[in-house]
Amino acid sequence: MPGYIRLVLLTLTSTPTSQTPDATALSYLLHKHPDRVQSFDLAIGTATILYPESSAEKTTVAVIVDVDPIELVQSRYRRGKSGDNFSLGEYVNDRPYAASSILSVALSKLFRTALTGTCKSHPELVGAELALTVSIPVVPCGGDADLPRRLFEPLGWDVTAIPVQLDPHLPTWGNSDFVSLTLTGEHTVQSALRHLYVLLPVLDDVKHYWVGPDEADKLIRVAGEWLASHPDSALIMSRYLARRRDLVESVVDRLIPEQAEAQIEVPRPDPPLARLRIDAVSATLQRLPVRTIVDIGCGEGKLIEALMPHARFDKLVGVDVSARELTRAQRRLKFTEMSDVQRERVAVMQSSATYRDARMKGFDAAVLMEVIEHVDAARLPALVRSVFVDAAPQYVLMTTPNADYNVLYPALAEGEFRHPDHRFEFSRTQFGDWATETARAHGYSVEFEFVGAIDPALGGPTQMAIFTKEARTS
């Protein structure tokens, strides 16, 4: 097959247990006959399934994926890109060689019925736990060889992750970002496939297709039974959903009620930090003597949504540089259902925090919630001029990550930012110095608060500055 790279990406082996003494039960549950080699077309190549061995003592199924690198790139452009890439990275990458979201898609295509927990010929096997061994020769893990253990062990797997050398003939070059992964344990076939389906893309931390709201629905459907209680649930949700905060929040909001309906006891987590920020900013605005508010960098309008029920606010305007985010804000705020009076009170407009815009003048308060860290440091003076000189509201509320707190996030490597689009993250001292100097230079005073769980030594995860314009003295 010219242009294709062929590699056995996964084998799944079953051996007898007291519950399932015949290892060929695996073939019934997978709905694939051991004597046949079957191939299925994927959007980016071909998936093939075959049985290297099939007996009552040991049955092994192998999944082979043939990836067409050109079709992979074209597919990603048709669906919309997910992840950060350099130009040649579209063509020169590890997609055809390593387990990833491509393998997850292949598993769902090959074993769709098994993933739903259906076996009409042997229904008694669906809930049976088989002694299973999963072997995947090349798994990306970003150089963190401990990550597979953290992800799979809480689900009942024994994990062996052996780092793959960059070149076995040149051991001094060290290890690559990949491991050879083996999982062993007693699980139902449905559970095993679901674990792989969710966690392989999490290990890879890249999806080869566009991540939209349907992915959040899929995560709830496939991982809802165990995700909330997993010690790395936040990491799993963030990576599986391509760090889309809106999708992660939707999963968190829905996960616990669905578990409660299933009568699964799961401790309810603290509200997500994004929710706490909105609550903190909203509470601050309610105690200040303000009636008109502009939310600069409003995103999909969650703060505006939180402020709308408070009649004391006469004018609420959301501003964002992204037309796509503003469209989502209009949907969230139900613009199509608004009366003319409501449209006079609530509006959105496209603009940038770093450019002068007369439409942002005349408001009592301006909010920049998690905005400044997305601006290049060299552009911060332009943002300051736009907000504190040109718009010059009576109050400015600004939130930003506290970099000191990052050491408490185990998924963050040293020096890594919380979001790939962050240009910097201020420590408490850096933010305090910058905000104090900004206030002094432009006739404001400033107070500081933390948002979120406060660590005695490191402060809170989010730091908030409240700027107040000082009265001029003659």
Side-chain angles (χ1 to χ4, degrees), residues 36-266:
R36 296 177 58 194
V37 176
Q38 296 176 267
S39 294
F40 300 82
D41 290 333
L42 303 175
I44 43 73
T46 305
T48 301
I49 180 173
L50 56 88
Y51 287 80
E53 53 188 337
S54 177
S55 69
E57 292 73 34
K58 188 177 183 182
T59 296
T60 298
V61 63
V63 174
I64 301 168
V65 178
D66 296 330
V67 177
D68 181 346
I70 304 301
E71 180 58 34
L72 173 59
V73 174
Q74 293 173 346
S75 174
R76 293 180 72 249
Y77 273 96
R78 285 194 295 267
R79 297 174 181 227
K81 292 196 288 185
S82 175
D84 295 326
N85 298 279
F86 62 98
S87 58
L88 288 180
E90 297 287 1
Y91 295 91
V92 183
N93 55 57
D94 56 45
R95 301 303 94 199
Y97 309 94
S100 64
S101 59
I102 296 173
L103 180 55
S104 288
V105 170
L107 292 177
S108 68
K109 180 87 172 184
L110 294 169
F111 307 129
R112 188 180 305 276
T113 307
L115 277 163
T116 63
T118 303
C119 184
K120 292 183 179 179
S121 63
H122 293 76
E124 74 282 359
L125 294 177
V126 171
E129 293 189 342
L130 280 64
L132 298 174
T133 299
V134 180
S135 178
I136 313 175
V138 184
V139 178
C141 60
D144 183 358
D146 189 54
L147 184 57
R149 180 194 61 78
R150 285 170 42 201
L151 295 180
F152 284 98
E153 274 192 358
L155 300 176
W157 293 96
D158 291 327
V159 180
T160 302
I162 302 173
V164 176
Q165 291 181 308
L166 283 170
D167 190 330
H169 302 292
L170 296 168
T172 57
W173 284 14
N175 295 325
S176 68
D177 288 343
F178 303 86
V179 297
S180 175
L181 180 64
T182 302
L183 308 173
T184 57
E186 292 192 7
H187 296 272
T188 66
V189 169
Q190 181 189 29
S191 294
L193 292 175
R194 288 186 167 194
H195 295 165
L196 293 167
Y197 181 80
V198 172
L199 296 180
L200 287 177
V202 172
L203 283 167
D204 188 23
D205 199 18
V206 174
K207 283 199 171 181
H208 73 282
Y209 56 87
W210 174 249
V211 174
D214 58 323
E215 289 296 292
D217 298 337
K218 195 183 301 178
L219 184 58
I220 289 286
R221 186 168 63 250
V222 176
E225 293 183 358
W226 53 265
L227 181 56
S229 59
H230 195 290
D232 273 304
S233 59
L235 173 69
I236 293 168
M237 288 186 286
S238 177
R239 288 189 169 199
Y240 186 86
L241 297 170
R243 291 179 169 82
R244 291 262 317 258
R245 288 187 297 176
D246 57 325
L247 299 182
V248 172
E249 289 170 12
S250 75
V251 170
V252 171
D253 290 343
R254 295 156 53 198
L255 189 60
I256 300 306
E258 294 213 1
Q259 300 239 1
E261 289 176 6
Q263 298 182 336
I264 297 173
E265 294 184 5
V266 177

